[in-house]
Amino acid sequence: MRDLKNDVASILISEEQLDKIVTRIAADIDRDYSGDDKKLVLVCILKGSLVFMGDLMKKIKVPVEIDCMKVSSYGAGTESSGQIHISLDLIRPDINECDFLIIEDIIDSGCTLSHLTKYLKLKGAKSVKTCTLLDKPSRRKVEFIPDYVGTEIPDEFVIGYGLDYAEMYRALPFVGILKPEVYTK
Ligand code: IMP
Ligand code: MG
């Protein structure tokens, strides 16, 4: 059996560190969304945010609803093109009552989250905020500051805890740096 761990150059964020990060973000969300006038809807951006979202929603104590969107940025390999395509949209009749919190795995160029935030506001959302597990600020193509950030990381291609390269490595329980020879082959 192929051991995917052999493709990992180093572990950047361990399971224990991820748990602490998720606990901290959940407490921040509880603090900010505790009002009775809030209808918090976590929007999981498939597929990369699936694991983060699953862990985060279990730790949030205020009432939450969940929804999913699927967004792809055209492009192959480790570079995104900046063009966003929504292949699974939000379909709900109460958009103007919802306080959406978009849950993302990682911000790179900033294109995905800046586009999605504008998109949900245009659709009439009551409020839209963003939460990302990882942020690579050095890679921004468009200015974007998320409301909740797990941790900033250097400009390395990372996998695990939901993040993929060519659809692989999502199930690894840590965030690791992928060996460059895997994607430069
Ligand atoms: P952005 O639109 O450039 O900010 O791209 C964000 C998306 O690119 C993320 O949701 C990921 O799907 C993908 N991405 C960016 N960097 C990485 C990485 O290091 N590993 C895995 N996916 C990444
Ligand atoms: Mg993603």
Side-chain angles (χ1 to χ4, degrees):
M1 190 183 71
R2 183 174 159 206
D3 187 354
L4 295 179
K5 289 195 180 113
N6 292 335
D7 295 345
V8 177
S10 63
I11 294 180
L12 190 62
I13 314 173
S14 68
E15 284 187 74
E16 293 74 22
Q17 288 170 317
L18 284 164
D19 187 66
K20 285 197 183 116
I21 288 170
V22 176
T23 302
R24 173 185 38 89
I25 296 177
D28 289 346
I29 293 171
D30 282 337
R31 181 198 60 212
D32 297 345
Y33 287 88
S34 60
D36 287 336
D37 56 332
K38 299 272 197 264
K39 182 169 180 176
L40 174 58
V41 180
L42 303 180
V43 181
C44 177
I45 306 305
L46 299 172
K47 301 171 206 171
S49 308
L50 201 63
V51 181
F52 174 42
M53 169 98 163
D55 282 350
L56 183 65
M57 61 190 269
K58 286 185 286 181
K59 289 184 192 265
I60 293 175
K61 295 192 185 78
V62 298
V64 289
E65 293 187 24
I66 62 163
D67 228 313
C68 295
M69 292 181 79
K70 190 154 193 271
V71 182
S72 42
S73 56
Y74 298 104
T78 60
E79 290 290 327
S80 85
S81 66
Q83 278 178 284
I84 308 304
H85 173 70
I86 296 174
S87 53
L88 175 69
D89 203 349
L90 269 189
I91 301 173
R92 46 189 305 150
D94 59 348
I95 287 188
N96 58 353
E97 295 164 18
C98 296
D99 296 292
F100 291 106
L101 180 56
I102 304 173
I103 309 295
E104 202 21 330
D105 50 0
I106 185 164
I107 307 184
D108 186 51
S109 68
C111 295
T112 304
L113 276 188
S114 88
H115 180 87
L116 275 183
T117 305
K118 284 184 206 140
Y119 180 76
L120 289 183
K121 284 183 180 161
L122 272 174
K123 275 176 89 104
K126 189 174 143 218
S127 71
V128 184
K129 284 193 183 188
T130 54
C131 170
T132 187
L133 175 67
L134 307 174
D135 190 2
K136 285 186 200 172
S138 62
R139 298 259 308 171
R140 283 296 192 287
K141 286 186 192 151
V142 296
E143 203 183 319
F144 189 85
I145 300 170
D147 297 286
Y148 304 91
V149 180
T151 185
E152 292 187 358
I153 62 166
D155 182 12
E156 302 274 7
F157 195 81
V158 293
I159 43 79
Y161 200 66
L163 291 115
D164 75 308
Y165 171 68
E167 294 301 326
M168 299 289 285
Y169 310 102
R170 293 192 196 274
L172 292 175
F174 53 80
V175 173
I177 296 174
L178 191 60
K179 286 183 181 166
E181 58 259 38
V182 176
Y183 52 86
T184 49
K185 264 194 280 215

